[in-house]
Amino acid sequence: MSPTSRRHFELPRDPEVHLVETEEVSYRGEPLTDERVERIVEDVRRANLLPGGKSLNRDGTHARRLSVRVHDDLYEALEEAAEESRVSVSKLTRAVLDEWAAGRHPARH
């Protein structure tokens, strides 16, 4: 399989589920509860670690990287807004920049 191809998995419409008694599971030294799993999954989503999430060009190529320095108050406001929107700061910043660019050059978007 090439590095750019993706596997596709499908579950049956009505999967058969069996409840099984299990031992307590630990992850990094702490019990792995349903709530903790949800937090870990949310952290991964927020970190934008989903495959292909960073290839934003329409032709499938990787988007350019932009580094910007901002003061603490602005960064904290971005973090808060990103958390409320359940996206990463990077994804929120791209959306803000896209909106700005669309208003500046409406024919491009």
Side-chain angles (χ1 to χ4, degrees):
M1 180 178 341
S2 76
T4 57
S5 65
R6 295 193 179 143
R7 292 182 184 184
H8 181 73
F9 297 96
E10 288 188 29
L11 293 175
R13 280 191 184 268
D14 299 313
E16 193 173 313
V17 178
H18 300 278
L19 296 178
V20 178
E21 292 288 326
T22 61
E23 295 179 23
E24 185 176 292
V25 177
S26 292
Y27 175 70
R28 295 190 176 175
E30 295 180 34
L32 192 58
T33 62
D34 289 341
E35 293 81 20
R36 189 152 178 246
V37 169
E38 288 176 21
R39 281 196 319 264
I40 291 168
V41 168
E42 187 59 36
D43 288 346
V44 169
R45 286 188 180 135
R46 188 174 294 117
N48 200 20
L49 297 177
L50 299 175
K54 296 179 186 197
S55 296
L56 302 175
N57 291 328
R58 290 184 180 96
D59 63 359
T61 59
H62 287 280
R64 291 183 184 199
R65 178 178 227 163
L66 173 68
S67 295
V68 179
R69 293 187 183 271
V70 296
H71 56 81
D72 290 344
D73 292 341
L74 177 55
Y75 190 80
E76 288 169 11
L78 287 168
E79 276 186 316
E80 186 177 318
E83 188 170 321
E84 289 172 6
S85 300
R86 303 185 75 153
V87 298
S88 66
V89 171
S90 181
K91 191 171 273 191
L92 175 70
T93 304
R94 278 193 303 271
V96 169
L97 290 171
D98 281 343
E99 187 175 310
W100 173 81
R104 189 169 162 89
H105 302 285
R108 291 185 183 179
H109 293 271

